[in-house]
Amino acid sequence: MDLVTLNDIREAAERIREAVVRTPALPCTWADPRRPLWLKPESLQPVGAFKLRGAYNAIARLDERTRGRGVVAYSSGNHAQAVAYAARHFGIPAHIVMPDVTPQVKIDRTRECGAEVVLVPIGERESAAYELVAERGAVLVPPFDHPDVIAGQGTAGLELIADVPDVDVVLIPVSGGGLASGIGTAIKALSPGVQVIGVEPELAADTREGLAAGTRVDWPVDRRSRTIADGLRSQPSELTFAHLRRVLDGVVTVSEEEIRSAMAVLATRGRLVAEPSGAVALAAYLDHAGELPAGRTATVISGGNVDPTLMVEVLTAHGAPAGR
């Protein structure tokens, strides 16, 4: 299996340069001084999440004739918005299949980008997308299972190493694995000594179990869907799992309560709005220091498309956690 290379990621960076935000690495003066912390807020992207990097790169790589047939994607929300946004940029139609349990804010924003949204039960989203591809002759842009998507996500790793060259530990959310595969590839190529740690919810910890077993494991959809982190309910593909085995130095899992608390910390101390999926890396830093390598740490805040009602609930319950 051919894996994504540093050169692929560098080419992707040039391809997407004008379409994405070069997000900063924000130092956190409120963090543990023994473990200096930086936040990489991908929530600041035009679609509110890192997914724009991979989606734009994949669509830009299509030849003009193929691209003109339009694109199809399946997603819980952030990839949906990214594909819709990129499709609008290129002036092509986009049809997006989303689970019917997707937060309304993500559905609305996908439609605002001009995409046609099809809502289906969460277990049917992939099959429905393939039906649309067959019906319309369009091109499927998968959320993570594609080298161009992985290379696009990896561009965040190039930026992170450029901004924090002496970082020791990088914490990255893991679900389908495209983000961790891409960032991990970039970091390990540029700074092999950096420890790259994946973070996932305890209620969707299939990657941790699979890496421990040395092979992918299957968690039923209803089991993975228990987590509040709706963007982390997918499982790695063969392609992303191969990358994760190569680039991850470990996986830490976090509880639902730890995710909620991290969201509140990001809002009250970091001045950043994060969805549950975007807060898991900080949750690992805050609550699992004993499981992590020591040193200068960077966390990837992967997205900020949170339902307003949930954000109010989290802030009401947690406010500014003591000592943070």
Side-chain angles (χ1 to χ4, degrees):
M1 183 183 298
D2 292 333
L3 301 187
V4 169
T5 67
L6 178 61
N7 188 58
D8 294 329
I9 296 171
R10 283 174 166 160
E11 290 179 353
E14 290 300 316
R15 198 173 292 120
I16 71 175
R17 186 180 302 278
E18 295 183 359
V20 304
V21 172
R22 189 192 188 288
T23 56
L26 303 175
C28 301
T29 57
W30 45 266
D32 184 345
R34 297 165 298 180
R35 297 184 298 142
L37 176 67
W38 286 261
L39 305 177
K40 178 73 169 167
E42 285 296 292
S43 51
L44 301 181
Q45 293 295 345
V47 299
F50 74 94
K51 290 286 191 177
L52 181 58
R53 296 176 183 270
Y56 191 94
N57 187 53
I59 294 174
R61 285 269 288 161
L62 298 172
D63 65 78
E64 189 171 346
R65 183 175 180 180
T66 301
R67 190 165 56 226
R69 302 203 305 263
V71 291
V72 171
Y74 56 89
S75 167
S76 63
N78 288 334
H79 180 64
Q81 293 176 70
V83 171
Y85 184 96
R88 183 176 64 181
H89 175 89
F90 286 105
I92 60 174
H95 303 273
I96 312 295
V97 179
M98 305 179 77
D100 53 14
V101 293
T102 299
Q104 190 63 42
V105 63
K106 295 184 178 182
I107 296 171
D108 292 343
R109 289 175 182 170
T110 302
R111 286 175 170 152
E112 287 169 6
C113 288
E116 178 182 324
V117 174
V118 179
L119 298 176
V120 300
I122 190 169
E124 299 176 13
R125 59 181 183 172
E126 293 186 36
S127 60
Y130 281 105
E131 288 176 8
L132 281 171
V133 167
E135 289 173 6
R136 301 180 180 276
V139 178
L140 181 71
V141 182
F144 50 84
D145 189 26
H146 196 287
D148 291 337
V149 173
I150 293 171
Q153 319 305 27
T155 60
L158 299 181
E159 297 171 7
L160 185 54
I161 290 297
D163 291 345
V164 193
D166 57 351
V167 69
D168 298 304
V169 184
V170 177
L171 306 178
I172 311 170
V174 177
S175 178
L179 181 64
S181 294
I183 291 180
T185 295
I187 289 174
K188 288 297 187 180
L190 294 169
S191 298
V194 175
Q195 297 286 290
V196 180
I197 308 295
V199 185
E200 60 185 348
E202 291 175 355
L203 298 183
D206 51 284
T207 297
R208 184 177 188 176
E209 184 178 323
L211 290 175
T215 186
R216 288 194 306 152
V217 298
D218 180 39
W219 282 31
V221 171
D222 57 352
R223 186 180 181 188
R224 288 179 271 127
S225 297
R226 296 173 300 161
T227 179
I228 191 177
D230 60 285
L232 301 182
R233 294 171 177 167
S234 296
Q235 298 186 128
S237 64
E238 291 287 354
L239 178 62
T240 55
F241 192 76
H243 284 82
L244 297 177
R245 291 187 68 179
R246 183 179 70 171
V247 304
L248 289 187
D249 295 293
V251 178
V252 172
T253 63
V254 295
S255 72
E256 300 297 287
E257 186 63 16
E258 289 165 351
I259 294 170
R260 290 171 177 266
S261 179
M263 291 171 65
V265 172
L266 283 167
T268 58
R269 304 303 301 272
R271 310 303 192 262
L272 292 169
V273 173
E275 61 191 274
S277 306
V280 296
L282 181 64
Y285 172 89
L286 293 173
D287 296 297
H288 294 265
E291 300 175 51
L292 297 173
R296 295 172 293 274
T297 302
T299 64
V300 178
I301 310 305
S302 56
N305 293 314
V306 60
D307 186 283
T309 302
L310 175 60
M311 194 74 241
V312 170
E313 175 190 319
V314 166
L315 290 174
T316 300
H318 293 276
R324 295 177 179 170

